Amino acid sequence: MKKYNVCALGEILIDFTTIGKSENGMNVFEQNPGGAPANVLAAISSLGGNAAFLGKIGKDMHGEFLRETLIEHSIDTEGLISDENFFTTLAFVSLKNGERSFSFARKPGADTQLSFDEVNTDIIKNSSVLHVGSLSLTDEPAKSATLFAIDTAKKNNITVSYDPNYRAMLWGGEDRAKKGMQEILDKVDIIKISDEETNLLTPYSEPEEAAKHLLTKGISVVIVTLGKEGALIATKDGQIKSLPAPCEKVVDTTGAGDSFMGGFLFKMTNDGLTPKDITLEKAKEYADFANKVASYCIQRRGAINAMPSYNDVK
């Protein structure tokens, strides 16, 4: 058994989320810890798994808050670097009917400044899964650090998990985003995309066709999240849908996909399986569990602090 179920490399940042108006009629923002890779780890740790983060924060009030948050959630921070030369990345999130729009302060943000020689390879080698997103591929030196981490994982037979998590304004154009996000597909073992990202990662818009295409890239498990419709899961055995879990009220969809991915990876690693081992029946079981994790998350504000425990899911 590896020391960590999952380690994740990429962005950790502050989500400043609107929570109403001040008495003067101005928007009030709540400081929430976030960043897709960190959110995935928070889900895994909350469920009872072991997780470790690889990345960079600024040596500032926001960076220290993020480090403390990871520690509070029992996420290993040995691979998290504080850099006094760069400010911690900030995201401002506007919510309307539970749906989000983003604005980023990242020119550059500390998360983009992780270099390959700062990547803690011992953590990767002691993990069952390395999870990455695409935001660490938008800028150097973080792109080289991400590719180095993936190569390290592949050389040591560590599963590579990928969630592109497209944010248009950080790519500087859709063509650049498509090229950048597709660059690592041949090194990925399991991938989760949304139904809004199918035509960015593949030549197809339809989830079923997109999933088939990604399987031809050598990916063993493809997950396409379908919003209120649940998720489509594809393996070499075929395709199947997992229906969403009941949800009383959607408060904040921030972290919905990340909580789903965390739930799926938690179940997979706890069973000691790799994506190549997963049958369609087993994938459906994991996705049903992951949908429950996501349902719990979106009924609370924020992401990291909204993740459920295993007993909550049960």
Side-chain angles (χ1 to χ4, degrees):
M1 183 75 177
K2 294 285 188 179
K3 183 176 180 181
Y4 305 105
N5 294 67
V6 180
C7 70
L9 181 148
E11 73 277 9
I12 184 168
L13 46 79
I14 303 294
D15 285 327
F16 281 109
T17 310
T18 54
I19 59 169
K21 300 282 186 180
S22 70
E23 60 183 26
N24 295 323
M26 299 294 103
N27 285 332
V28 176
F29 289 85
E30 183 178 64
Q31 181 194 41
N32 284 304
N39 295 342
V40 170
L41 295 184
I44 290 164
S45 182
S46 293
L47 291 167
N50 296 319
F53 186 80
L54 304 167
K56 181 170 281 193
I57 51 177
K59 192 173 283 188
D60 50 50
M61 61 183 289
H62 298 304
E64 291 311 306
F65 169 68
L66 290 172
R67 183 182 293 278
E68 290 169 6
T69 298
L70 293 182
I71 292 170
E72 287 172 6
H73 287 80
S74 302
I75 298 170
D76 191 299
T77 59
E78 188 177 341
L80 178 63
I81 296 169
S82 297
D83 192 328
E84 62 184 7
N85 297 309
F86 302 98
F87 200 72
T88 300
T89 301
L90 309 178
F92 294 87
V93 188
S94 177
L95 290 173
K96 187 174 182 180
N97 299 322
E99 296 299 325
R100 307 158 296 158
S101 61
F102 291 88
S103 180
F104 290 89
R106 191 187 189 231
K107 297 182 178 179
D111 72 292
T112 69
Q113 300 303 306
L114 182 73
S115 59
F116 78 92
D117 56 337
E118 294 174 317
V119 174
N120 189 320
T121 56
D122 286 339
I123 290 177
I124 297 173
K125 293 173 185 177
N126 281 285
S127 300
S128 296
V129 175
L130 167 67
H131 178 74
V132 300
S134 74
L135 297 195
S136 59
L137 299 172
T138 61
D139 297 273
E140 291 288 4
K143 177 178 179 178
S144 292
T146 305
L147 297 178
F148 173 73
I150 291 171
D151 286 342
T152 300
K154 300 304 286 186
K155 289 175 183 176
N156 289 275
N157 297 314
I158 308 302
T159 292
V160 175
S161 167
Y162 181 36
D163 179 358
N165 194 37
Y166 178 56
R167 295 288 179 262
M169 69 177 297
L170 297 181
W171 278 101
E174 189 173 295
D175 289 341
R176 181 172 181 266
K178 286 181 177 181
K179 181 179 179 182
M181 291 192 294
Q182 293 179 27
E183 186 174 342
I184 64 171
L185 289 179
D186 62 344
K187 300 178 180 179
V188 171
D189 301 298
I190 178 171
I191 187 172
K192 182 197 75 65
I193 63 174
S194 74
D195 53 356
E196 297 175 347
E197 295 168 335
T198 51
N199 63 348
L200 295 170
L201 275 297
T202 79
Y204 307 99
S205 295
E206 289 300 317
E208 293 81 3
E209 293 303 317
K212 289 178 184 177
H213 176 82
L214 290 169
L215 290 175
T216 68
K217 297 292 183 180
I219 301 173
S220 297
V221 176
V222 177
I223 302 164
V224 184
T225 53
L226 307 172
K228 297 177 182 178
E229 302 303 316
L232 172 75
I233 308 98
T235 72
K236 63 180 184 301
D237 299 326
Q239 298 185 359
I240 195 168
K241 284 187 178 180
S242 172
L243 297 177
C247 179
E248 292 182 6
K249 182 182 179 182
V250 176
V251 174
D252 181 2
T253 57
T254 303
D258 303 326
S259 57
F260 181 100
M261 195 61 173
F264 196 100
L265 294 177
F266 169 79
K267 291 289 283 184
M268 181 185 80
T269 53
N270 250 30
D271 283 352
L273 300 182
T274 69
K276 289 182 179 178
D277 302 322
I278 297 178
T279 62
L280 194 58
E281 181 182 4
K282 185 63 73 172
K284 172 70 161 49
E285 174 193 327
Y286 294 169
D288 287 345
F289 177 85
N291 268 322
K292 293 177 183 177
V293 178
S295 177
Y296 188 100
C297 175
I298 63 175
Q299 295 182 67
R300 289 152 180 79
R301 265 205 321 270
I304 288 178
N305 293 327
M307 299 302 176
S309 69
Y310 191 81
N311 284 335
D312 289 329
V313 179
K314 287 183 67 178

